[in-house]
Amino acid sequence: MITKKLLSKYLLLFLCSLVVFVGINSLSNFAFFNIMDVLYQPHGPKGLLKVSIYVASYLFVFANLIFILFMKNGVIFKILIFALFILLNVDIVYYLIDKNGTGISMHQIVLAYHETSHILGAFWAYSGAIIISLLISVAVLFAIKIIRKFIDIKFFYIPIIMLPLSLVGSYMVFNKSAYAAYEYPFFTKIPMYIYAAKHNGYFDIKFKARDALTIRPDGAAKYKNIILIVDESVRGDYLSINGFNMQTTPFLDTYDNVVSLGIASSGGNNSAPSQYIIRNGVQMRDLPDNKFATLAIPNIFQYAKNANFHTYYLDSQVEYQQLQNFMSSYDLEYIDEYFTIKERKPFYYLDRKLIPKIKTILSSKDHNFIYIVKYGSHVPWKMNYPENSATFSPVLENMESVEFSNRDRAINTYVNSLRWSMDGFFKELLSNISLDDTIIIYTSDHGINIAESGTTMHYGMELNPPKTTATVPILLFAKDITSKYKFDKNIYSHFMIFPSVLDLMGYDKDIYHKYNYSFLAIVLVENKLEFFILVTSLVMDIKMYLTTRAHNERYDHYAVI
């Protein structure tokens, strides 16, 4: 018999469910209501059925959450509540960082998995969001405890039966539907993403042996030493050598043997895809690489070995010769020496500790190819320079994350990092080596977002990534380079670095043009008509890259895995 007391309990349960529904949907920008809007659009029978199944799946998952919240007290309940607490924290943190209203994405899960070496820096950089998330989650736990006392309805078998059904059912819909999984509640969405990433091999990459390379250069190398430096999180338009209004590169601004190619586009908006593209000559036409074909193509070290260069890989980001950015033991077969820094502190000296090694390599009589991964300006920026080198102030406090309200101080902190870790690095390096028969190609893996475009996330966004995260510099260092060559500006990208290195090693144009254009090939063209055609086609390629980037961005991150 239904009594008033029982009726009031179920009414309270319904009202509580509405509150939970609104709270969960606020983490996905109320995406459920967007789906409902689609439901009421004109559809054929098949389309209406698909959307209806999606809506039913969502509601089933949500109902399962309500049943879990009102389970009988016991070990299973405590385990599930602990799991919900962790998953809720993760989703809220990414919601607060990204500000796109979608919470965590599969790309961000994969990125976090493959960049565990930066986990401490991430905790520091996003400490504000983490603290707020913890406070919210703890408040939710207390609210659940209080509500369970007022609503004396407890379930047991229903949530236990519904949980596997909701996970399996929602994944089946997610796997077949065109809709994004971010619309599902956090406790289903995150396991779905993890399973999908695991199922598609994004965690357990099956590396392959590199294809044999029989091609050799037709001509002599243009330089005895070729150094390729890939910095970390250096934004091209924040360098005064590129016209930025704060003097971030005072040394390079007056240095004679450097030329800036202006603002360039990176291959990805986080380290792994960009590094992979630069090392392996991956081009836009190769992406998305769902069959992982690019894992076997010849890498830059193979070309260097065939050109009789000794090969070196220097990485100041990792210790004990760890492999990152989708490198494998197969890559090491073509590297004569892999050098890392054992003594890690202070962080702002990590890159400087590479200089003696570079100097030693260049002193040899051999032809040398050196690939350098710098620690650079990785977050947190305040750790990237000594306190007495803070040219710009005020700066962020220790453990202070970037917010819209402190953007000016965040910019000061970031440009201090650039001035020390980028400009200061070159000042010390170039005072210790000779450029008589050496060329340096310098770029960054990606740019950075500093509380712009409605998000405080720095890089690696999957949906609508700010252009600033793909804005990088490309600089060339060589003796008398400014008098030898005349370069155009702002038309280059990461996709051109690989063929440019091959050009410098002496490979024929027919070889490196299979990848892309070389920086030097463009400026060495003597026939004006040919130059016009070459530059025009290059600009068309860059325009095509920019117009397709937004579409491909969500695939680029997985294309090289």
Side-chain angles (χ1 to χ4, degrees), residues 375-386:
Y375 184 85
S377 289
H378 204 286
V379 292
W381 302 318
K382 197 173 181 183
M383 296 177 65
N384 299 333
Y385 60 91

Side-chain angles (χ1 to χ4, degrees), residues 439-460:
I439 186 168
I440 302 172
I441 299 176
Y442 169 86
T443 189
S444 179
D445 52 1
H446 53 80
I448 205 79
N449 175 69
I450 308 177
E452 300 160 89
S453 304
T455 176
T456 55
M457 194 170 182
H458 297 312
Y459 59 88

Side-chain angles (χ1 to χ4, degrees), residues 88-99 122-137 399-403 456:
L88 179 62
N89 262 289
V90 171
D91 212 34
I92 291 176
V93 166
Y94 276 89
Y95 175 83
L96 293 172
I97 292 171
D98 201 351
K99 300 292 194 300
F123 273 114
W124 188 326
Y126 302 124
S127 57
I130 293 171
I131 292 170
I132 292 172
S133 174
L134 285 170
L135 292 174
I136 293 173
S137 299
M399 298 296 291
E400 183 180 7
S401 57
V402 178
E403 303 293 343
T456 55

